[in-house]
Amino acid sequence: MIKVGLVGEDPNDTSSIKNLLDQRYKGKVQFKELAKNSTGANLDSLGKFKRVLKKKFDDSGCAFIVYIRDLDELESHKVKLTERFKWFRELDDHVESKGLLMLNIWELEALILGDIDTFNKIYSINYKTGNPMFVRDPKKILMGATAKMRKQFEEAHCPEIFKQLNIDKVEKNCSCFKKFITEFNEKLH
């Protein structure tokens, strides 16, 4: 079994992606959260974070790292894209280029929109959406869709929601996730 490290902007993000990927890779890949207490602000302070991550990666026995980041914009925003790729390269160079960037278009919650039927079932709503890759601020959209419901969406729900999402639907409907899965499979072989 291959070990793969996970680094994300928030513990909910890494848990959510672990839960989603476990649907397909459980028994083949063991995911290990490498920076459990990191947040977006910590990740952007590369100096200290590089040293901490290098030590955790060296001690983990992981073959490579998946870096989970939000673009916080649509894919057409080239300045943000350049900024995120620069961040990834600087960090990844420090761990011998063994990383893979999972760049979520706008934010992680866009992947929930990729399987909106599961979200609707969980919250007993009937929300309709278009292409998740063109939705600005999907977290706010999901909160708004459940605002009048007894159970309202919160970020803390994401790990449980991601356990229930259909990974095939998310891959089909979210081009950023599909690209990531292709690169992830290549890294495994």
Side-chain angles (χ1 to χ4, degrees):
M1 186 178 304
I2 187 168
K3 282 187 183 178
V4 174
L6 297 176
V7 172
E9 295 182 8
D10 182 280
N12 281 330
D13 290 3
T14 50
S15 295
S16 297
I17 293 303
K18 178 188 176 305
N19 290 343
L20 184 63
L21 294 175
D22 271 346
Q23 292 179 28
R24 187 172 289 169
Y25 298 100
K26 195 169 192 165
K28 299 176 200 163
V29 178
Q30 179 183 8
F31 295 101
K32 184 171 177 63
E33 295 178 44
L34 294 181
K36 291 182 181 173
N37 299 322
S38 295
T39 62
N42 295 116
L43 296 182
D44 289 333
S45 303
L46 283 177
K48 183 180 176 186
F49 187 68
K50 277 184 193 176
R51 290 187 299 275
V52 170
L53 184 61
K54 172 83 172 130
K55 170 101 175 87
K56 288 188 180 221
F57 179 66
D58 289 347
D59 295 344
S60 71
C62 290
F64 63 93
I65 300 173
V66 172
Y67 300 91
I68 306 160
R69 287 301 308 256
D70 294 342
L71 183 59
D72 296 324
E73 264 298 341
L74 298 178
E75 197 169 16
S76 57
H77 199 289
K78 301 301 178 200
V79 173
K80 270 289 204 190
L81 271 176
T82 302
E83 182 184 299
R84 287 294 189 252
F85 284 121
K86 182 180 178 225
W87 171 86
F88 168 68
R89 280 191 299 274
E90 281 187 40
L91 199 54
D92 199 45
D93 285 349
H94 204 66
V95 290
E96 302 157 16
S97 300
K98 294 193 173 187
L100 178 61
L101 178 62
M102 172 192 262
L103 186 61
N104 299 302
I105 301 307
W106 200 278
E107 58 197 5
L108 185 74
E109 285 78 1
L111 302 182
I112 294 173
L113 296 174
D115 179 13
I116 197 65
D117 294 337
T118 295
F119 182 79
N120 284 340
K121 186 177 172 188
I122 292 169
Y123 291 92
S124 302
I125 61 172
N126 190 23
Y127 184 75
K128 302 283 184 210
T129 185
N131 185 334
M133 299 296 91
F134 295 107
V135 175
R136 288 187 171 273
D137 206 347
K139 186 185 317 172
K140 188 175 177 182
I141 296 287
L142 296 173
M143 288 176 169
T146 60
K148 294 181 179 173
M149 302 307 292
R150 191 173 182 182
K151 180 179 180 181
Q152 298 170 348
F153 170 74
E154 299 173 17
E155 283 179 78
H157 297 168
C158 283
E160 279 306 309
I161 294 170
F162 275 71
K163 266 187 194 173
Q164 298 178 53
L165 292 178
N166 180 316
I167 192 170
D168 296 328
K169 281 187 179 177
V170 175
E171 184 178 6
K172 179 183 170 197
N173 295 324
C174 299
S175 58
C176 69
F177 188 69
K178 183 175 186 169
K179 180 178 181 270
F180 165 76
I181 289 293
T182 299
E183 293 172 353
F184 184 76
N185 287 334
E186 288 171 3
K187 277 272 203 203
L188 292 179
H189 298 290

